[in-house]
Amino acid sequence: MHPTHAFLLGAVALMTSVPTLSETVAAPPTAAQAALAGNPLIGAWNTPDGAPPYDRIKPEHYEPAVDEGIREALQQARMIGMQRSMPTFENTVERLEQSGELLSRTLNTFFNLTGSDGTPEIQKAEAAIAPKLARFQSDLYLDKALFTRIDQIY
């Protein structure tokens, strides 16, 4: 596909996925939005040294946070792939490394627990999260636009 066509398709997809103001105000929260409300893994951690707020995190908080983190990371990666500028290490590889902050933070917190406190609830969350992470990695590694940019750098 011609790069201009890919960019236009991406822009159209982005524009059509953004809700209108009336949809935003009138629409009841989706299940995903409800699952994120009050989730201590989402947003800033007002804790000493930015440590995870383990005292407020429950096993059921991890999967919705991972889902949101994957959504954000893929969106960020796709935006990097859709850039029209000439690929450089800084605008491609570094930006890709800096993307996915929520996912990284959530997974670091989660895997700390899976290795130290593998309760049945954590194991259940791990079983639900593992295939999503595998899919995420595949989607990221097989993204043609990203591969093309990285290939042009190296």
Side-chain angles (χ1 to χ4, degrees), residues 64-81:
V66 167
D67 290 345
E68 180 64 12
I70 287 172
R71 187 195 65 73
E72 285 181 9
L74 285 175
Q75 181 181 27
Q76 292 164 351
R78 288 185 181 122
M79 294 303 291
I80 293 167

Side-chain angles (χ1 to χ4, degrees), residues 22-149:
S22 62
E23 291 171 330
T24 304
V25 172
T30 65
Q33 291 167 331
L36 294 176
N39 188 325
L41 292 163
I42 307 296
W45 294 345
N46 298 320
T47 56
D49 299 319
Y54 284 113
D55 60 325
R56 297 186 355 237
I57 300 171
K58 296 181 175 135
E60 61 268 18
H61 290 139
Y62 287 104
E63 189 175 1
V66 167
D67 290 345
E68 180 64 12
I70 287 172
R71 187 195 65 73
E72 285 181 9
L74 285 175
Q75 181 181 27
Q76 292 164 351
R78 288 185 181 122
M79 294 303 291
I80 293 167
M82 290 178 13
Q83 288 181 85
R84 296 178 65 185
S85 60
M86 181 66 126
T88 65
F89 186 85
E90 292 78 15
N91 72 12
T92 304
V93 177
E94 279 186 10
R95 284 198 52 213
L96 192 57
E97 284 290 319
Q98 295 165 356
S99 68
E101 179 186 349
L102 173 61
L103 183 59
S104 294
R105 190 174 63 165
T106 300
L107 291 177
N108 287 338
T109 304
F110 180 65
F111 288 133
N112 183 23
L113 279 184
T114 63
S116 63
D117 188 22
T119 64
E121 294 83 12
I122 292 294
Q123 290 174 354
K124 181 179 175 186
E126 189 173 20
I129 290 169
K132 294 177 181 191
L133 290 179
R135 175 67 186 252
F136 166 71
Q137 290 293 329
S138 292
D139 289 348
L140 192 62
Y141 294 150
L142 298 174
D143 185 288
K144 186 175 181 176
L146 272 177
F147 177 82
T148 300
R149 288 187 70 81

